[in-house]
Amino acid sequence: LGLEEVRGTVRLGDQPLAGRLTFGAPDENLSIEIRSAVDGSLEGHLPRLGKWHVDVASEQPSVHRQIDVEIRRGGDGRGRLEIVLEDRALTGEIVDENDKHLDRAILKISPKAGGRREVVQERVEGGLFRLTGFEPGDYLLRAEGPGRVSETVVAEIAPDGSSPFLKIVAVREAQIALRLVTEQGSPIPSASVNILRTTLFPGLTSISERTDATGRVSFRTQPGASHQCFAFAQEGWPVHVFSVTPGLEEQQVIIPGATGTIQVERPAPKNSETFLLWRGPCFLPLQLLQMFTRGNETRFPGMAPGDYRFCRHSLGSLGSPAQCAEGVLGPYGVLSLELDKHP
């Protein structure tokens, strides 16, 4: 059949790598799979020697790379191949406030900026971690353990694959206790309250809880945060976005009875930008706002009166927005916020 026998090794840094190697030659419409063993050795057959594009994939450790290689004939007449991949590992430890390693934790890793939004979750046992398979760049890491959470830590993998050893401190989560009342002071029972947590800006997660018969509800939140944002979204009531300062005391939130409508006009979004509605330090993406108000893409009825800003933002940027329109929504009024379509 004219096949060439090929032998070689695959290593990740100085460690052998077991995985799947797919040898491709698009110009020849070829794709051939050879697997490397646990000791990193590989044996297989290819239709020819020379240059190949190779996709290297391994589940443990998690690695997925694409490289170009050249297979040369050895002294024994077989093709010889040596692949050494840069380690590119994120290494570190997860400890509590007393420097004790956490027995169990979940480590969440996401790219700091750019179009990629995937979040990798890794289970860490015993507090020490070493995660491989990442491309050079900046990453955001956040650890969560039983009743504990860390601040977000930034780590860089340099072009040569090196990165610093990280120390991530997970402290006990804080509690925020709220009591929701009407303007007359009556409790609002069985009402939906959403805690809004920012991930990689402008990413947002929303977790909903209901008030009890006395209008009370509590949430766990990030310790040390200067404020925490919430959205009250209950049918028959205005959508009320508010922030509170985490503390030990129960905090009373007055829900207004009047509503109004916000109308927005904006240009078509580009791939690298998004539009957000702000109230104070809190923001809502239009999709979430549409769900809360049951409105459409430009009209949001049932909003609580107050000051609002409608802004255009670059994805992944925490700096000043590129453009904003702001105004005050009065009781039973309509607030129009328009962004220039040709800024």
Side-chain angles (χ1 to χ4, degrees), residues 22 30 203 266 312 339:
T22 304
L30 292 175
R266 58 177 174 84
R312 179 207 306 259
L339 293 180

Side-chain angles (χ1 to χ4, degrees), residues 70-127:
E70 184 168 0
I71 305 174
R72 302 180 184 274
R73 193 178 304 280
D76 58 1
R78 300 184 178 94
R80 301 297 304 177
L81 174 64
E82 305 294 331
I83 295 178
V84 180
L85 302 176
E86 294 175 354
D87 199 348
R88 298 179 187 169
L90 290 168
T91 60
E93 60 182 351
I94 303 173
V95 299
D96 63 16
E97 56 267 37
N98 298 315
D99 258 4
K100 180 182 177 182
H101 285 147
L102 264 62
D103 292 333
R104 296 181 305 278
I106 297 295
L107 188 59
K108 298 182 179 180
I109 308 109
S110 61
K112 182 179 179 182
R116 298 170 299 165
R117 293 297 181 193
E118 66 271 17
V119 176
V120 176
Q121 296 192 64
E122 295 285 349
R123 186 179 299 275
V124 178
E125 303 283 348

Side-chain angles (χ1 to χ4, degrees), residues 10-13 15-20 36-38 56-65 85-90 122 130-134:
V10 185
R11 299 198 307 274
L12 180 66
Q15 298 296 316
L17 181 67
R20 183 188 72 249
S36 59
V38 292
V56 183
S58 170
E59 292 185 359
Q60 188 60 38
S62 176
V63 176
H64 191 184
R65 308 276 179 83
L85 302 176
E86 294 175 354
D87 199 348
R88 298 179 187 169
L90 290 168
E122 295 285 349
R130 186 175 187 275
L131 309 175
T132 61
F134 293 93

Side-chain angles (χ1 to χ4, degrees), residues 7-334:
R7 293 186 179 183
T9 59
V10 185
R11 299 198 307 274
L12 180 66
D14 58 359
Q15 298 296 316
L17 181 67
R20 183 188 72 249
L21 286 77
T22 304
F23 292 77
D27 294 342
E28 303 172 54
N29 196 27
L30 292 175
S31 180
I32 300 167
E33 181 179 304
I34 300 176
R35 288 189 172 270
S36 59
V38 292
D39 63 355
S41 64
L42 66 86
E43 296 184 19
H45 293 83
L46 295 173
R48 59 167 177 78
L49 304 183
K51 295 182 178 180
W52 289 87
H53 184 73
V54 184
D55 183 287
V56 183
S58 170
E59 292 185 359
Q60 188 60 38
S62 176
V63 176
H64 191 184
R65 308 276 179 83
Q66 294 185 349
I67 60 171
D68 292 316
V69 302
E70 184 168 0
I71 305 174
R72 302 180 184 274
R73 193 178 304 280
D76 58 1
R78 300 184 178 94
R80 301 297 304 177
L81 174 64
E82 305 294 331
I83 295 178
V84 180
L85 302 176
E86 294 175 354
D87 199 348
R88 298 179 187 169
L90 290 168
T91 60
E93 60 182 351
I94 303 173
V95 299
D96 63 16
E97 56 267 37
N98 298 315
D99 258 4
K100 180 182 177 182
H101 285 147
L102 264 62
D103 292 333
R104 296 181 305 278
I106 297 295
L107 188 59
K108 298 182 179 180
I109 308 109
S110 61
K112 182 179 179 182
R116 298 170 299 165
R117 293 297 181 193
E118 66 271 17
V119 176
V120 176
Q121 296 192 64
E122 295 285 349
R123 186 179 299 275
V124 178
E125 303 283 348
L128 293 172
F129 63 88
R130 186 175 187 275
L131 309 175
T132 61
F134 293 93
E135 297 298 322
D138 293 332
Y139 292 86
L140 304 176
L141 291 84
R142 185 171 183 266
E144 297 179 0
R148 293 180 175 272
V149 65
S150 77
E151 298 282 355
T152 299
V153 175
V154 179
E156 179 190 9
I157 298 180
D160 63 2
S162 63
S163 64
F165 186 84
L166 303 171
K167 184 175 184 178
I168 301 177
V169 181
V171 300
R172 294 193 180 279
E173 290 181 302
Q175 290 277 342
I176 291 183
L178 305 176
R179 183 170 186 258
L180 276 63
V181 298
T182 67
E183 292 173 319
Q184 292 74 37
S186 301
I188 303 177
S190 302
S192 176
V193 183
N194 299 265
I195 186 169
L196 307 175
R197 292 193 176 104
T198 304
T199 54
L200 179 62
F201 183 84
L204 196 70
T205 61
S206 172
I207 300 175
S208 177
E209 297 286 351
R210 287 196 173 274
T211 57
D212 63 15
T214 65
R216 290 180 169 87
V217 65
S218 64
F219 294 88
R220 295 187 303 177
T221 188
Q222 179 82 25
S226 61
H227 68 274
Q228 176 62 61
C229 292
F230 294 89
F232 173 84
Q234 177 65 33
E235 187 174 359
W237 291 85
V239 175
H240 183 50
V241 181
F242 62 94
S243 69
V244 300
T245 301
L248 298 177
E249 300 297 326
E250 179 181 88
Q251 302 185 58
Q252 183 168 284
V253 180
I254 299 174
I255 305 299
T259 67
T261 298
I262 294 179
Q263 295 184 164
V264 300
E265 292 189 34
R266 58 177 174 84
K270 300 176 182 177
N271 291 334
S272 59
E273 67 181 16
T274 188
F275 297 91
L276 304 173
L277 184 72
W278 291 80
R279 185 166 190 196
C282 306
F283 68 86
L284 287 177
L286 297 189
Q287 297 91 331
L288 188 59
L289 187 62
Q290 185 176 344
M291 182 184 73
F292 285 160
T293 63
R294 300 183 181 181
N296 55 36
E297 294 182 352
T298 60
R299 187 174 184 274
F300 307 103
M303 298 293 296
D307 298 339
Y308 291 93
R309 289 177 294 136
F310 180 51
C311 299
R312 179 207 306 259
H313 293 265
S314 297
L315 292 177
S317 172
L318 292 174
S320 299
Q323 185 187 16
C324 287
E326 59 185 67
V328 179
L329 175 64
Y332 309 107
V334 176

